[in-house]
Amino acid sequence: MGLCSELFVADDNKGTNEVKATTPTLYIFGDSTFDVGTNNFLNTKTKANSPYFGIDFSHSFPTGRFSNGLNTADQIARQFGLKKSPPPFLDLEKLQYSFKHNIMVGVNFASGGSGILRYTGYKQSGEVIYLEKQVQQFELVSGNITEILGPANASTFLSKALFLISVGTNDIFDYERNESGVFHLGKEENLAVLQLNYYSYIRKLYDLGARKFGILNVPPIGCYPAVTCNNGGKCVKPLNDFAVAFNKATQTLLQKLSFELEEFEYSLANTYAMFNTMLKYPLAFGLNDTKSACCGVGKLNGEGPCLKTLNEKHCEIGKFNGDDSLLKSLNDKLWGIGKLYIEREALCIKVLNTNICDNHDDHLFWDWLNLTQRASKLIANMLFEGGDHFVFPNNFRDLVSSFHFDNNHP
């Protein structure tokens, strides 16, 4: 049964079987922060459709979310009264009989390991859906909506939708690994290339009808377990500095777009500040461990992925630079993010010595690069309730509150 067949329009915690009157249609783009199963359909090494992913999901089913349960896309959707994120585009596309109906409810295009640049994630993951291709997929969706509603009504419909984007982390990681395709550029030049492309894709979404954007910036990725496990548990400043520079440039980009484009509105989520606040005051958020991953291998559970076994598509993961030791410590010269690759497709299943914490809810990180279900909920709460220190110029709740939603076709 496809993911799109699962109902996602009710929030059990809110005690209602109806979508809230202020619920916008959600179109979601980005990386593993938002991916709810896109990569299940790809020939990629970056997948989350096997244990221990999804251990706290319904029936402990690994859905393709890089989490123990719901991820940040789901938690944002729940803030709007939905049960979870809309399904992946690649899932909806398989069911042509219901495709046109389902795209009116929302679509998730996000792909784990992807980035702004088309080369991002290729060496690490193989096939991913990079941002440009995600926008192209939405172009197909937009065309179908226009066919269903007509140009004028489609324009009104899309102007009331919320477009969520979380991207940039993998571009920075790949640059530091010299895997971005533009590694010969300096950091300032690379940043300029990233922002030029980011601008063009957001502008393309605007041209296709998008008007309201919820953008998540890059967290302090130098503090991720995959990085700190090879730095004595300490954050790596150059990575965090790059994230800060990217985030400042993104804010300038969005301000530029808001001046240039009529009816363009945005909320920029300062996830960097949110993470830093949780790192500094963990107990205030009910967190006991903000350094190690709940699930993984080695120091801080940051030396290997949260997988129960490696099957034939993961056999060579953990072989770094010709070294045959499985899941060796990542190369500190690459800021702790090693080069994972497959050189041959041997048929094998290896049982890993994976650690998993007892209390999933008191950890910030689920695995070496992704959040726990509860941490994602904390982020979503700040997106909706936070002041301008966390979300600028308005939080997500205020971003959509100016529109009247009747949840029917215009």
Side-chain angles (χ1 to χ4, degrees), residues 59-191:
H59 305 295
S60 296
F61 183 71
T63 61
R65 291 163 170 83
F66 293 82
S67 171
N68 56 309
L70 300 175
N71 68 10
T72 305
D74 297 307
Q75 300 290 12
I76 292 173
R78 289 173 72 85
Q79 291 285 339
F80 285 117
L82 304 173
K83 186 177 180 181
K84 55 181 177 289
S85 163
F89 171 82
L90 295 180
D91 193 11
L92 299 177
E93 188 180 39
K94 292 172 57 181
L95 302 174
Q96 286 299 316
Y97 68 91
S98 59
F99 179 75
K100 290 186 176 181
H101 168 76
N102 288 330
I103 62 175
M104 303 294 295
V105 184
V107 185
N108 189 314
F109 303 89
S111 173
S114 69
I116 296 169
L117 302 181
R118 64 169 55 199
Y119 299 105
T120 294
Y122 177 75
K123 288 187 177 180
Q124 286 285 302
S125 303
E127 185 183 12
V128 295
I129 307 297
Y130 46 88
L131 185 58
E132 179 184 10
K133 192 170 183 179
Q134 294 178 33
V135 173
Q136 290 171 354
Q137 290 174 339
F138 175 74
E139 187 170 11
L140 175 64
V141 168
S142 174
N144 275 270
I145 292 174
T146 300
E147 182 180 319
I148 295 167
L149 301 179
N153 286 339
S155 177
T156 300
F157 177 83
L158 291 173
S159 72
K160 295 180 179 181
L162 180 59
F163 289 74
L164 299 172
I165 307 175
S166 176
V167 74
T169 293
N170 294 312
D171 295 285
I172 296 175
F173 278 149
D174 270 19
Y175 177 82
E176 295 294 350
R177 283 187 296 246
N178 289 346
E179 293 180 352
S180 65
V182 292
F183 63 89
H184 56 283
L185 298 177
K187 285 191 176 181
E188 290 186 5
E189 291 82 2
N190 176 257
L191 185 60

Side-chain angles (χ1 to χ4, degrees), residues 198-210:
Y198 205 3
Y199 174 92
S200 67
Y201 303 144
I202 295 176
R203 178 63 189 261
K204 177 66 174 178
L205 288 172
Y206 175 89
D207 292 340
L208 292 171

Side-chain angles (χ1 to χ4, degrees), residues 241-299:
D241 289 345
F242 201 159
V244 169
F246 176 89
N247 293 339
K248 288 181 179 178
T250 300
Q251 182 170 343
T252 300
L253 177 155
L254 292 171
Q255 290 172 337
K256 173 180 169 63
L257 284 165
S258 68
F259 283 122
E260 291 178 350
L261 304 177
E262 184 178 358
E263 297 182 346
F264 180 93
E265 295 185 67
Y266 72 92
S267 290
L268 177 59
N270 190 353
T271 54
Y272 193 99
M274 296 177 192
F275 268 72
N276 271 349
T277 302
M278 289 189 287
L279 290 171
K280 189 174 182 179
Y281 306 106
L283 295 181
F285 293 89
L287 300 173
N288 289 322
D289 192 331
T290 58
K291 289 189 175 183
S292 63
C294 176
C295 180
V297 175
K299 291 177 292 185

